[in-house]
Amino acid sequence: MRLVLLLSALLGASLALETFVGHQVLRIQTRNEEEVRQLQLLESLEHLELDFWISPSAPALPVDVRIPAAGVQSVKAFLESQGIEYSVLIEDLQDVLDKEQQDMAESAQRERSTSFDFSSYHTLDEIYAELDHLASEHSFVEKIQIGESYEKRPLYALKFSTGGSNRPAIWLDAGIHSREWVTQASALWIANQIASGYGSDSSITSLLDKMDLFLLPVANPDGFVYTHTWNRMWRKTRSKNAGSVCYGVDPNRNWDAGFGGPGASSSPCSDSYHGPSAESEVEVKSVADFIRNHGNFKAFLTLHSYSQLLMYPYGYKCTRPDDYAELESLGRAAANAIKSVYGTTFQVGPICSTIYQASGGSIDWAYDIGIKYSFAFELRDTGRYGFLLPATQIIPTATETWMGLRKIMEHVLKKQD
Amino acid sequence: MELPPAQFPSRRAAAVAVAFLRYRRGGPGRALRLRELRRARTEDIKDVGHKYYLELELEDVLDKDSTVNCTAEVLYHLGNKNIAPDVQFTLEGELKSTEEADHVFYTRIRSLEKELVAENIPDSHGHVPPELEPLHLLAWVASGYLVWQNSTENTQLQLAQIKHVKQVRRSDEYLQFDYLVLLHEMVSQEIIPWEMTVLWHPRDGVRVTRESRQPGHTSG
């Protein structure tokens, strides 16, 4: 009887539907077979134009139904009179659809302008696409190829240069150890920061007016791809080691600085294997050649993770570099700058006493060929997440790291006069 | 002899002390970590080993404002590298109670229809699903035992990732989880797979009842 009344009410109020304004979606909790039958009866009445998203079948399963605006009150009254429990899943379907349209439009818009989400981790292809994007957006940013990896992937770097000819330059690299994902991610953020800061940020502007910057965000692309495809904990290159089943060389034991000394392994299966000879790894040789050929680098900065350390030479020997006092002082200033952002503390010191003795490292090599301002950063954290730093920490990490790098770059610039 | 906190010997000793402490005082609702190494002193004990005296400030990872001071002593034994270092510590003040969170976790696991199984915590992007966070903390706390037992002055071990965890139902009141974890050894940079069986009860705390280092990670 009640069903007939409901039927009439709905027939009377039905309209030609073009939008979903006022449509509600209810979730109905049936408790027994009788209630399921009631709903099945409702479902069979086609002119009610009820749209069951989940049809009634068994008492334990929920029933979801979209009800045209005109029928909402009547259906609810019917359910209540039968003692059938329900809740409102969607108050107004058109609102939901409108929001969805908006989201999609915004997303498409974002895709056309900047698709790069700096707060998540990306693949090599995505990173390389962003390098192209940055280069196309800024006239003083150029994507250059430093060389090729063992597996023939390009080593792409960004050159920031506002003019001149072979200006004194700063080198910054990340991801030489592929599992240290926050470093490649931070390098991208920093690249964007520098690119968009020229002209508005006085520090970046005065730097790029006098000096060039070279940024290699993925120094070990083969290893990086391997961390995405096979083994998230891969550190080394992916070169084949003659006479061994084990692949790869630790690229930060492969530089020509105390090569083969303490703190590097001679076993190809080790994660700190130094390789058959200095610069045996094409990834290392390419950078070394580039820097040697350029001839005018004043700073060499490299990003690693994790441990929160800011270090200068030496690693291959435990004696102090000639410029110890200046490097220690500059290191402390940079660490203070980092700390000023979120309170993150970095320990400062020479590699050998701060972390461990390690031979064949990049900043030792750079320092020994005359690049005084050579620093290695170990970014967040101190071990809770280690290499698997949550993506939510990428931007905070990049932000604080940038403050430290800036401090160093400002000092280097000052010393150019 | 006074040691600068920035240098690795004191930091390694501090890491061992904190690992031990985390194991002894931690659970699915509490994990302590080092906020600051205030002071470190070392002493060479003839025919015995090296002893480190440490002043530490610790924080609860779930409540960063909650810090506690601690003094600790770590003795690395001479010669035999198979003996775990001796660790003693004194906490100044009380730790916040985790009774409620512990109870919630305990009843939740006990009432599961199927035994819990999970992999790759955190995942490649550092993400831990919220409902698995207690299991993540429990592993980090239990790995403190592995770190303590296997540390020397030349190593620095950290939990890198949970590869696999499986709940094992027991007839007694304890919760049992069999973990396969990856430890990261900082000095050699090796990743070491390690199996461990972890027992927990809100009343008794965490216990590692079985542990077994697994053959080499991959260098292939």
Side-chain angles (χ1 to χ4, degrees):
Chain A
M1 177 58 193
R2 286 183 193 269
L3 207 46
V4 173
L5 286 174
L6 173 63
L7 184 64
S8 341
L10 286 170
L11 269 178
S14 76
L15 304 158
L17 297 166
E18 284 181 69
T19 69
F20 296 95
V21 176
H23 289 222
Q24 286 200 356
V25 178
L26 303 186
R27 169 156 289 182
I28 304 168
Q29 290 296 143
T30 49
R31 279 166 305 182
N32 52 50
E33 297 286 354
E34 174 57 32
E35 290 184 0
V36 174
R37 267 195 297 276
Q38 292 271 40
L39 293 180
Q40 283 168 340
L41 199 55
L42 209 57
E43 191 180 19
S44 69
L45 303 174
E46 282 178 26
H47 38 268
L48 295 183
E49 294 185 43
L50 300 178
D51 174 17
F52 281 81
W53 289 5
I54 304 177
S55 284
S57 55
L61 298 171
V63 172
D64 289 351
V65 57
R66 175 178 63 82
I67 308 167
V72 169
Q73 291 318 311
S74 315
V75 172
K76 282 180 175 174
F78 171 71
L79 293 173
E80 282 159 24
S81 71
Q82 300 300 304
I84 299 175
E85 279 183 30
Y86 68 89
S87 58
V88 179
L89 270 189
I90 300 176
E91 286 247 19
D92 187 322
L93 186 56
Q94 191 57 43
D95 282 349
V96 171
L97 293 173
D98 288 345
K99 176 88 179 35
E100 188 177 41
Q101 279 286 90
Q102 202 188 341
D103 285 347
M104 284 170 64
E106 277 171 21
S107 185
Q109 165 79 326
R110 252 180 281 125
E111 255 179 66
R112 277 191 295 276
S113 50
T114 352
S115 60
F116 202 81
D117 176 10
F118 293 100
S119 64
S120 52
Y121 291 111
H122 290 278
T123 63
L124 185 68
D125 288 341
E126 287 164 357
I127 290 174
Y128 279 359
E130 178 60 11
L131 297 185
D132 283 327
H133 176 250
L134 284 170
S136 70
E137 289 280 300
H138 307 274
S139 58
F140 58 94
V141 180
E142 190 194 338
K143 187 184 87 172
I144 60 172
Q145 184 164 348
I146 304 280
E148 243 181 20
S149 71
Y150 182 83
E151 291 174 344
K152 302 276 181 274
R153 293 184 174 87
L155 294 167
Y156 285 137
L158 289 180
K159 175 183 179 182
F160 297 80
S161 179
T162 60
S165 159
N166 216 48
R167 279 180 175 170
I170 294 173
W171 173 268
L172 176 62
D173 70 60
I176 195 170
H177 290 138
S178 37
R179 61 191 179 201
E180 298 167 8
W181 278 20
V182 74
T183 68
Q184 300 95 334
S186 295
L188 261 299
W189 184 92
I190 290 166
N192 185 62
Q193 191 73 3
I194 297 171
S196 50
Y198 180 72
S200 53
D201 179 305
S202 58
S203 178
I204 294 172
T205 308
S206 21
L207 179 81
L208 290 182
D209 278 344
K210 291 261 169 40
M211 300 184 75
D212 290 347
L213 179 81
F214 292 83
L215 198 163
L216 174 66
V218 187
N220 178 6
D222 295 348
F224 188 58
V225 170
Y226 201 73
T227 60
H228 278 273
T229 52
W230 284 106
N231 181 353
R232 175 62 178 83
M233 295 294 172
W234 190 259
R235 167 184 167 90
K236 302 188 287 183
T237 61
R238 289 294 303 166
S239 55
K240 182 145 183 12
N241 291 311
S244 172
V245 300
C246 296
Y247 278 72
V249 166
D250 183 340
N252 207 31
R253 302 286 184 277
N254 189 245
W255 299 73
D256 193 5
F259 177 82
S265 172
S266 54
S267 161
C269 295
S270 166
D271 256 333
S272 56
Y273 174 48
H274 50 56
S277 58
E279 295 184 20
S280 63
E281 301 313 282
V282 63
E283 293 84 355
V284 170
K285 182 162 174 36
S286 301
V287 173
D289 282 344
F290 182 82
I291 290 177
R292 279 188 289 251
N293 293 338
H294 183 281
N296 204 14
F297 274 95
K298 302 298 174 191
F300 183 94
L301 310 168
T302 182
L303 302 183
H304 291 258
S305 78
Y306 58 93
S307 285
Q308 292 169 207
L309 307 171
L310 212 166
M311 299 176 290
Y312 49 87
Y314 284 108
Y316 71 84
K317 56 185 177 180
C318 293
T319 51
R320 287 179 173 178
D322 288 342
D323 301 289
Y324 166 78
E326 187 183 356
L327 295 177
E328 171 71 21
S329 161
L330 181 54
R332 282 187 191 274
N336 285 337
I338 291 174
K339 189 167 185 169
S340 72
V341 189
Y342 299 108
T344 310
T345 44
F346 273 57
Q347 302 296 332
V348 179
I351 293 175
C352 190
S353 54
T354 307
I355 189 169
Y356 40 53
Q357 189 173 11
S359 57
S362 65
I363 70 166
D364 287 356
W365 168 82
Y367 186 78
D368 278 349
I369 62 161
I371 302 174
K372 188 196 326 187
Y373 301 102
S374 293
F375 288 91
F377 287 63
E378 291 275 359
L379 306 187
R380 292 193 192 183
D381 61 7
T382 53
R384 177 166 180 212
Y385 290 97
F387 299 121
L388 307 179
L389 194 71
T392 48
Q393 291 196 43
I394 294 173
I395 294 185
T397 302
T399 307
E400 70 195 7
T401 303
W402 168 237
M403 295 307 285
L405 290 169
R406 218 164 96 129
K407 198 51 129 181
I408 294 172
M409 293 181 187
E410 283 166 2
H411 181 89
V412 174
L413 175 66
K414 230 181 359 212
K415 294 293 188 150
Q416 292 314 300
D417 300 321
Chain B
M1 185 180 86
E2 201 72 27
L3 290 177
Q7 294 184 6
F8 66 76
S10 48
R11 288 210 321 278
R12 283 181 199 170
V16 174
V18 175
F20 178 76
L21 214 149
R22 183 160 51 232
Y23 175 62
R24 284 275 185 260
R25 291 285 185 271
R30 178 203 291 137
L32 295 168
R33 78 161 159 200
L34 183 68
R35 175 182 275 202
E36 199 187 324
L37 171 59
R38 290 254 173 77
R39 236 185 120 192
R41 226 178 8 104
T42 187
E43 189 190 340
D44 200 359
I45 303 178
K46 191 160 145 57
D47 297 331
V48 178
H50 290 146
K51 195 166 194 187
Y52 291 76
Y53 298 86
L54 307 163
E55 282 176 33
L56 312 166
E57 189 188 356
L58 309 170
E59 71 182 18
D60 184 340
V61 299
L62 296 183
D63 180 15
K64 305 264 173 65
D65 295 329
S66 160
T67 65
V68 65
N69 289 329
C70 170
T71 53
E73 289 173 16
V74 177
L75 171 63
Y76 294 102
H77 294 278
L78 261 185
N80 191 346
K81 293 301 170 196
N82 290 324
I83 305 179
D86 292 343
V87 184
Q88 286 180 67
F89 66 88
T90 312
L91 287 175
E92 285 169 35
E94 295 280 308
L95 293 171
K96 219 173 54 160
S97 165
T98 55
E99 210 176 302
E100 205 182 305
D102 285 350
H103 178 74
V104 167
F105 176 67
Y106 184 77
T107 32
R108 197 186 105 212
I109 302 293
R110 290 284 276 199
S111 62
L112 287 175
E113 273 182 29
K114 264 178 53 179
E115 285 161 322
L116 190 151
V117 173
E119 296 192 321
N120 292 330
I121 304 166
D123 68 13
S124 285
H125 297 235
H127 178 67
V128 179
E131 69 274 11
L132 293 180
E133 186 58 36
L135 230 47
H136 179 218
L137 285 178
L138 187 64
W140 195 34
V141 166
S143 69
Y145 176 82
L146 300 182
V147 170
W148 164 47
Q149 288 289 307
N150 294 280
S151 285
T152 69
E153 279 172 291
N154 300 317
T155 62
Q156 189 160 349
L157 289 161
Q158 291 281 359
L159 173 68
Q161 191 182 33
I162 301 166
K163 283 310 281 180
H164 189 81
V165 57
K166 189 185 71 172
Q167 179 198 355
V168 176
R169 244 199 264 283
R170 294 171 65 93
S171 52
D172 60 25
E173 55 185 356
Y174 287 90
L175 297 186
Q176 176 180 335
F177 298 97
D178 288 354
Y179 283 95
L180 172 64
V181 296
L182 296 179
L183 296 188
H184 171 227
E185 201 297 285
M186 184 86 68
V187 181
S188 64
Q189 290 295 344
E190 300 300 328
I191 301 287
I192 312 165
W194 219 297
E195 281 180 358
M196 62 177 180
T197 295
V198 180
L199 256 52
W200 179 72
H201 185 274
R203 194 193 53 226
D204 290 350
V206 180
R207 252 196 310 145
V208 174
T209 56
R210 191 190 74 89
E211 52 100 345
S212 159
R213 181 181 173 138
Q214 299 303 299
H217 182 50
T218 46
S219 210

